[in-house]
Amino acid sequence: MDETRWNVRQVALGSAEYPYYYGHDCADRIAHVLGSYDADRFLVVTDDTVLRLHGEGFLAELSRWAPVEVLSRPAGEEMKSLVTLEAHLEQATRAGATRRSVVIAFGGGVPGNLAGLMAALLFRGVRLVHVPTTTVAAMDSTLSLKQAVNSRQGKNHFGTYHRPEAILTDVKFLQTLPPRELRSGLSEATKNCLAIRPLSIPELRDRLTHGQLQSTGTLQWLLEESLTAKAFAMSEDTKEQGPGLVLEYGHTVGHAVELCDQRLRGPQGISHGEAVAFGMIAAARISARLGGLDADGVALHEELVGALGAPLQVPHGLHLADIMAVVRADNKRGYLALQESEAAMVLLSAPGSPMGEPRNPLVAVDLAVVEDVLADLLGPSLLPAPARTTNGVLQQ
Ligand SMILES: NC(=O)c1ccc[n+]([C@@H]2O[C@H](COP(=O)([O-])OP(=O)(O)OC[C@H]3O[C@@H](n4cnc5c(N)ncnc54)[C@H](O)[C@@H]3O)[C@@H](O)[C@H]2O)c1
């Protein structure tokens, strides 16, 4: 792989297509592409951390092409609110935004989602471009049309779908991420290999255990893997309600553990990526109980999740009954006819082979089996004492 190359891949989510440009040390090339949009103004939605770390060079490049209005707040999930959205929209219109303006999401998934909804609402829809700076945004959230902010009750309650014009990433941006943030997006990439791209597992294993995770080569490889996996899962399912549900692998239990841990430890708790990684351990064991994965498949999950530095057991202090209550209310229930005593989950019969139907990879699982497997996974937490910069409000 030539790490100095400027690459472009086409993302196709059903009828929505957009280019994904990526390279290393390429802020000038990103600005050059943005310059070609003939915008009368760039509305840059970001957070104060990203602005401090990467704003100077990037904004200087951008301002050679059009006036730049910066819309920034302290980093964190609190930014994903209607209050900030309204303030940004008002600031944009005061600054003279028009239908020719382009909203640039510059940062992680939080400014990305906020910018996406802002672009959808401003004058009933203006152009949106993502410049992701986290692994979650570069490898996951921008490869989706979903844009949303949080309500006071929960995550992503107010939103819509809005297609970006393009995604443009400088892998150099990702190299300033703290290790936990870096790994958060990598567990989604690991999930993609386990659930969708088993042929990539040997290389993934090698890179996770021997490679430097933040090396340009590894980040570009993981980015390309994520693009391929998403393209496969979502080419005919832009709303992630059919075959794209395979992307939910690890999310049923992961989501429940994330919510319970967040209630217990607040923003210091388990990250979304760590929770999904643990959720894959649980899913692998449930698959094995139901005659799916063999012992090698379960061991493979444990090896990869361990290499990610994510917990292999239920985090200390969480109660089984609380986790099961969230599993019972999981939002995938509507996609499958279920008994009260069942949950809808993605399970594997082997790496890359979901147990469900291709058109709907979910299967009904008896909640007693989930509970039994989680009881086996109770134990001292392997979580390090975290110093998280973001609020870890649960993700959907
Ligand atoms: N389909 C979707 O729309 C989808 C999918 C996955 C996640 N999400 C959303 O994404 C959000 C999580 O995204 P995230 O993890 O990127 O969170 P984030 O945007 O809060 O970024 C995490 C932290 O990293 C910091 N940061 C960003 N870039 C940095 C860099 N290059 N160097 C150092 N620090 C940097 C940020 O300031 C922040 O403190 C959630 O709100 C979730 O709901 C959406």
Side-chain angles (χ1 to χ4, degrees):
M1 181 191 302
D2 179 359
E3 295 170 7
T4 58
R5 265 187 53 207
W6 176 238
N7 306 278
V8 61
R9 293 244 325 236
Q10 205 62 17
V11 179
L13 306 177
S15 60
E17 281 202 31
Y18 49 95
Y20 195 132
Y21 300 88
Y22 59 97
H24 184 264
D25 202 6
C26 55
D28 53 339
R29 302 185 89 144
I30 291 178
H32 195 266
V33 173
L34 292 170
S36 71
Y37 289 158
D38 192 27
D40 63 359
R41 192 172 304 275
F42 293 124
L43 306 166
V44 178
V45 179
T46 186
D47 71 42
D48 295 353
T49 307
V50 174
L51 204 53
R52 177 172 50 78
L53 288 170
H54 299 292
E56 198 177 326
F58 179 57
L59 297 181
E61 290 288 345
L62 262 189
S63 60
R64 295 173 51 208
W65 301 93
V68 175
E69 183 70 13
V70 176
L71 306 125
S72 183
R73 289 287 182 283
E77 188 77 27
E78 303 81 46
M79 189 202 294
K80 264 179 65 169
S81 71
L82 283 178
V83 174
T84 313
L85 179 65
E86 184 189 10
H88 280 3
L89 285 164
E90 293 290 351
Q91 183 182 336
T93 46
R94 268 198 313 276
T98 73
R99 288 185 174 79
R100 259 184 61 214
S101 303
V102 171
V103 174
I104 299 176
F106 180 45
V110 165
N113 278 183
L114 182 66
L117 192 51
M118 175 175 166
L121 291 180
L122 187 62
F123 308 119
R124 299 193 198 91
V126 299
R127 290 170 293 172
L128 166 71
V129 174
H130 287 291
V131 181
T133 66
T134 65
T135 48
V136 169
M139 300 177 195
D140 189 17
S141 62
T142 57
L143 300 172
S144 161
L145 307 180
K146 293 192 278 188
Q147 321 291 349
V149 296
N150 304 326
S151 73
R152 290 184 213 282
Q153 275 66 46
K155 282 276 296 180
N156 298 328
H157 281 182
F158 308 134
T160 187
Y161 297 88
H162 193 65
R163 179 185 67 84
E165 298 300 307
I167 310 175
L168 303 109
T169 307
D170 186 341
V171 169
K172 200 175 167 189
F173 292 150
L174 306 178
Q175 290 170 329
T176 57
L177 284 168
R180 282 190 86 201
E181 300 295 353
L182 183 78
R183 289 198 303 255
S184 198
L186 303 192
S187 43
E188 297 281 349
T190 301
K191 173 204 71 182
N192 292 339
C193 287
L194 283 167
I196 302 170
R197 302 218 359 114
L199 291 179
S200 302
I201 288 173
E203 182 152 6
L204 174 76
R205 174 194 269 143
D206 196 46
R207 288 186 182 270
L208 288 187
T209 47
H210 302 118
Q212 293 242 316
L213 286 189
Q214 74 278 34
S215 73
T216 304
T218 292
L219 287 168
Q220 287 204 5
W221 182 79
L222 287 163
L223 182 57
E224 284 165 9
E225 274 299 307
S226 304
L227 282 164
T228 307
K230 285 267 188 174
F232 173 81
M234 292 176 59
S235 55
E236 290 171 16
D237 185 19
T238 48
K239 300 201 168 173
E240 297 167 52
Q241 294 171 350
L245 284 165
V246 69
L247 296 166
E248 290 287 314
Y249 186 54
H251 281 63
T252 309
V253 168
H255 187 213
V257 165
E258 182 183 8
L259 176 58
C260 294
D261 199 70
Q262 190 204 350
R263 285 179 186 151
L264 184 72
R265 280 176 262 266
Q268 304 302 312
I270 194 168
S271 72
H272 178 67
E274 287 164 336
V276 169
F278 171 74
M280 290 194 288
I281 296 282
R285 288 195 179 205
I286 294 167
S287 303
R289 289 274 184 110
L290 301 183
L293 276 182
D294 59 16
D296 286 350
V298 176
L300 174 68
H301 279 68
E302 285 166 1
E303 181 193 343
L304 295 177
V305 170
L308 280 169
L312 295 167
Q313 291 180 303
V314 175
H316 178 66
L318 299 196
H319 297 294
L320 202 47
D322 297 336
I323 300 173
M324 288 307 300
V326 184
V327 169
R328 211 167 274 123
D330 185 80
N331 67 2
K332 289 186 292 300
R333 293 191 74 80
Y335 296 126
L336 205 63
L338 291 177
Q339 308 288 331
E340 270 304 298
S341 59
E342 292 174 328
M345 293 184 72
V346 179
L347 298 179
L348 300 181
S349 50
S353 301
M355 287 172 77
E357 299 295 317
R359 293 219 61 76
N360 183 352
L362 295 174
V363 288
V365 182
D366 195 327
L367 286 165
V369 176
V370 180
E371 185 161 1
D372 213 36
V373 163
L374 284 175
D376 283 349
L377 289 168
L378 285 174
S381 168
L382 300 183
L383 261 187
R388 273 174 61 72
T389 47
T390 44
N391 164 337
V393 176
L394 88 140
Q395 317 205 14
Q396 283 176 348

